[in-house]
């Protein structure tokens, strides 16, 4: 049995297999429509979600399986003080696989140590979000045609943005990938990513405060929202929340084939006027998340068609 807590829990070959299977499912969904008949996915969400929870549920339903779960800590026995360890022991006897989102970093890992079914981390605090990373990788490969030889700009809240941390961890495994990290000083990437990942692997990167100046260099621009829920005080959030707002004027200097990604939800960091630009692929990215999660569920349940 395998759990997916970090994107690095999948080898580069396993990652490629999941992405290839997701593409096969995307091309021919009908072929896979009954392959999880009789299987159940539990969605244990202790923190709000639209895309991740619903795309996991859509994924299992599309595979002919069933879903059960809760969408907030308040509607589960966590509100009465039940531990994640006890919850997963019980859920292991109700479902075949589970996706867990939790505000505490490491909670899905703890769950995996008590679980007798595969646990997928659906986002833990500011730490990791591996299925968003799979979705991002699928989007880049499908729309850009490659995962190597790319200059990727990450813009916004790089301190708390778990999707950024996960994607950096995944992308450093591909050749000639460079990073441009665009954020206010207070929202720069955590130091462990700088020292243990980027510096340790001799990855080319720079940290800047101005998006306009670096825009022409980028093959991909990964925008993120400032994560209000992870700030210790509201004043800091208000001061930093409008640090970067991408609009059509800012895009004038971008490459004609640069892709704009965003894990969503968006607040105001991408003006809605950008949505109709052919480079804006964030809604397509969210759609791809269903196929990637279908592929991951099949792999973890050892289901082949
Ligand atoms: N991208 C993402 O995780 O969105 P949700 O918070 O809506 O699940």
């Amino acid at each position: 049995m395998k759990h997916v807590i970090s994107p690095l829990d999948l080898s580069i070959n396993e990652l490629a297999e999941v992405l290839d299977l997701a593409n096969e499912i995307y091309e021919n969904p009908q072929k896979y429509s009954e392959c999880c008949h009789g299987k159940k996915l539990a969605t244990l969400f202790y923190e709000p979600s639209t895309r991740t929870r619903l795309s996991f549920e859509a994924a299992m339903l599309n595979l002919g399986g069933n879903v059960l779960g809760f969408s907030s800590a308040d509607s589960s026995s966590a509100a009465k003080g039940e531990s994640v360890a006890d919850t997963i022991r019980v859920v292991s006897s109700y479902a075949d696989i589970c996706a867990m989102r939790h505000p505490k970093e490491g909670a899905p890992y703890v769950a995996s140590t008590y679980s007798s079914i595969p646990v997928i981390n659906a986002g833990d605090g500011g730490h990791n979000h591996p299925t968003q990373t799979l979705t991002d990788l699928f989007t880049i490969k499908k729309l850009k045609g490659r995962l190597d030889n790319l200059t990727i700009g990450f813009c916004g809240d790089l301190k708390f943005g778990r999707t950024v941390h996960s994607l950096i961890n995944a992308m450093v495994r591909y050749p000639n990938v460079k990073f441009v990290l665009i954020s206010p000083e207070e929202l720069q990437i955590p130091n462990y990513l700088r020292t243990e990942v980027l510096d340790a692997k001799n990855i080319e990167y720079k940290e800047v405060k101005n998006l306009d100046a670096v825009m022409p260099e980028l093959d991909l621009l990964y925008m993120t929202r400032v994560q209000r829920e992870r700030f210790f005080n509201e004043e800091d959030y208000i001061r930093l929340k409008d640090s970067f707002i991408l609009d059509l004027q800012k895009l004038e200097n971008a490459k004609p084939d640069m892709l704009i990604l965003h894990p969503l939800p968006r607040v105001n960091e991408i003006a809605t006027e950008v949505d109709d630009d052919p480079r804006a692929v964030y809604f397509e990215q969210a759609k791809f998340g269903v196929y990637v999660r279908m592929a991951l569920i099949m792999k973890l349940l050892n289901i082949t068609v």
Side-chain angles (χ1 to χ4, degrees):
M1 188 182 52
K2 194 169 173 99
H3 308 287
V4 176
I5 305 302
S6 143
L8 301 181
D9 289 337
L10 297 172
S11 69
I12 205 150
N13 287 338
E14 288 170 328
L15 247 165
E17 280 172 22
V18 171
L19 299 185
D20 287 348
L21 178 58
N23 198 46
E24 269 183 56
I25 298 170
Y26 178 80
E27 302 287 345
N28 191 3
Q30 201 52 39
K31 184 174 162 193
Y32 299 88
S33 63
E34 287 300 324
C35 70
C36 280
H37 182 75
K39 300 286 184 192
K40 292 194 275 296
L41 165 77
T43 52
L44 312 182
F45 277 59
Y46 295 83
E47 202 183 47
S49 167
T50 296
R51 272 145 297 276
T52 311
R53 188 171 66 84
L54 297 184
S55 64
F56 260 117
E57 295 190 357
M60 193 48 146
L61 295 172
N62 288 348
L63 294 169
N66 286 302
V67 295
L68 66 163
F70 52 82
S71 58
S72 72
D74 288 348
S75 62
S76 78
S77 284
K80 302 175 207 159
E82 185 170 56
S83 67
V84 158
D86 284 358
T87 300
I88 195 67
R89 278 182 170 133
V90 172
V91 171
S92 289
S93 60
Y94 298 161
D96 301 285
I97 186 165
C98 106
M100 176 182 285
R101 170 169 290 189
H102 203 288
K104 281 200 183 138
E105 298 174 3
Y109 169 73
V110 171
S112 74
T113 64
Y114 290 92
S115 180
S116 53
I117 58 174
V119 175
I120 305 171
N121 178 5
D124 61 329
H127 196 213
N128 265 312
H129 193 346
T131 60
Q132 180 65 47
T133 302
L134 285 171
T135 302
D136 300 339
L137 295 176
F138 183 85
T139 306
I140 297 167
K141 191 161 180 219
K142 188 141 188 84
L143 302 182
K144 203 75 191 162
R146 63 183 193 277
L147 291 169
D148 53 10
N149 295 299
L150 292 166
T151 299
I152 307 177
F154 287 98
C155 180
D157 183 349
L158 311 189
K159 178 178 181 182
F160 296 117
R162 59 192 171 202
T163 63
V164 172
H165 308 158
S166 274
L167 189 55
I168 289 176
N169 263 308
M171 289 303 301
V172 297
R173 301 201 282 185
Y174 299 96
N176 195 27
V177 171
K178 300 173 195 155
F179 299 109
V180 182
L181 307 171
I182 310 141
S183 72
E185 198 159 339
E186 294 97 318
L187 297 180
Q188 286 181 340
I189 56 165
N191 207 34
Y192 82 89
L193 262 182
R194 204 174 285 115
T195 56
E196 293 171 28
V197 181
L198 297 173
D199 292 340
K201 294 181 192 296
N202 278 322
I203 304 295
E204 195 176 325
Y205 72 98
K206 60 182 171 186
E207 299 188 83
V208 300
K209 298 191 182 82
N210 185 319
L211 173 60
D212 296 344
V214 295
M215 188 73 92
E217 302 169 27
L218 307 178
D219 298 309
L220 302 171
L221 174 58
Y222 195 98
M223 293 295 295
T224 61
R225 86 187 153 92
V226 176
Q227 307 240 325
R228 180 181 205 158
E229 67 275 29
R230 311 217 189 276
F231 274 76
F232 293 114
N233 67 67
E234 185 74 1
E235 293 76 37
D236 285 348
Y237 169 72
I238 289 167
R239 185 168 49 80
L240 294 167
K241 71 185 175 64
D242 297 327
S243 298
F244 300 98
I245 297 177
L246 183 68
D247 56 21
L248 287 177
Q249 197 196 341
K250 284 198 166 59
L251 280 173
E252 278 172 12
N253 290 331
K255 289 183 183 173
D257 62 346
M258 184 190 79
L259 295 183
I260 307 161
L261 289 90
H262 191 310
L264 303 178
R266 145 177 74 180
V267 182
N268 65 343
E269 59 281 358
I270 302 180
T272 53
E273 66 182 16
V274 174
D275 297 354
D276 293 329
D277 189 292
R279 291 167 289 191
V281 297
Y282 27 90
F283 290 113
E284 215 172 347
Q285 182 185 358
K287 184 178 80 179
F288 289 151
V290 176
Y291 302 99
V292 160
R293 291 180 174 101
M294 288 169 79
L296 185 63
I297 290 169
M298 285 181 63
K299 284 281 176 198
L300 294 180
L301 291 178
N302 291 314
I303 287 172
T304 50
V305 173

